[in-house]
Amino acid sequence: MTRLAGSSKLLRAMNESAALAHLLDPGMLTRADLRKLTALSTPTISEVLRRLTDAGLVNVVGHNSGRPGPNAEIYNANPDAAYAAAVSVRDIGASGAPSVVAALCDLTGSVRGRVEARIDFLTTDPLTALVDVVAKLREEAGVPAERIRHVQFGVAGSYDPHTETIRHVDVPGFGRTGLVPQLAAALGTDVGVDNDVNLAAIAERRRGVGRDAEGFALLWLGEEGLGLAIDMAGTLLRGARGGAGEIGYMPLYSPDSTHRKLDLQDLFGGAAILELARDNGVPGRTPAEAVRASAADPATGGDFLIALADRIVIGLAAVIAVLDPYLVVLAGPIAQAGGERLLSAVNFAVRRAAPLESTIAVTSIDDDSVLLGALDAGLTAVHDSLIASIRDS
């Protein structure tokens, strides 16, 4: 951090950053509110608000007429002062879903634009494709490029911040050395990369059933892959190289076995779910369609859900035994499709499988949780950047 010359400049920067932090969250505050929150004097608060308003970071958005005396001005962060973009890159397989979904939010978190694209990464360079998606998003929202302070990418893989490399990723081109720094340079702003399941956990913590939990494990049941996110009192455990939670690679075979190596992906990944559905006479073009059909008609799909739950619990039991989480959240397209019926089958299977205890819930987020989590992470990065820039200015 740059050392500020003079104690008055240091105090002024500290006061402004403290006030801005409160105006960013929770926002909508009067001078009196800020005095209580910061313990600063009335003249100091007035000067701080003047400087933040002149800098374009804060606006007067209304007046509080419910108190005696003159109406108090209500201040809030200027929504257009800065923006965060989120880009979710999917490993979609045969699901037919868009391979890239992106959204843009302003400084208060309001979503200003959203775009979807189906991109063949076998024939398209990811650098070009992702820069074009962000440009399309920016144009749709009418936002100048210089106002986007952070772009958060979510990928079906793990990100090693030490080497700035995406690992364990099946989407062509995304494991290329140098891709992330090239994205930052091409976009001209800060970028972040995280595992898609970690971002889903951020959304679950902010918006879903994990909001009030001491901590939780989120088991992602995707159309293609599996994943695990570990939330410890609001902090995600990512591991030394970003690979914590790559549960799909967990082997299931004995070292002495001559059979083909099996892992959890072979047990209840997307292809395994479709095969299990066919074996039980459950229709569905995709894994989520099959699970949704069985949940809607227990008379014909009940055996399939029970068999699927028995497989899920093999992985779930290991998670509970190692982590002993306060809560386990079942998330992803398969969990959303199965809903409460799949949850009931999993709870029953856990009780039969092992003497382990944990509360299990299904996600309450019915939107794209990876995209929402990327927006949350990106907006937090923008907030932190603005506060730090005031401190360092």
Side-chain angles (χ1 to χ4, degrees), residues 54-71:
D54 290 347
L57 295 174
V58 169
N59 287 336
V60 176
V61 295
H63 294 82
N64 188 342
S65 58
R67 300 177 182 178
N71 292 344

Side-chain angles (χ1 to χ4, degrees), residues 288-309:
E289 285 181 8
V291 172
R292 189 174 294 109
S294 64
D297 186 8
T300 59
D303 289 344
F304 165 65
L305 278 186
I306 291 172
L308 176 58

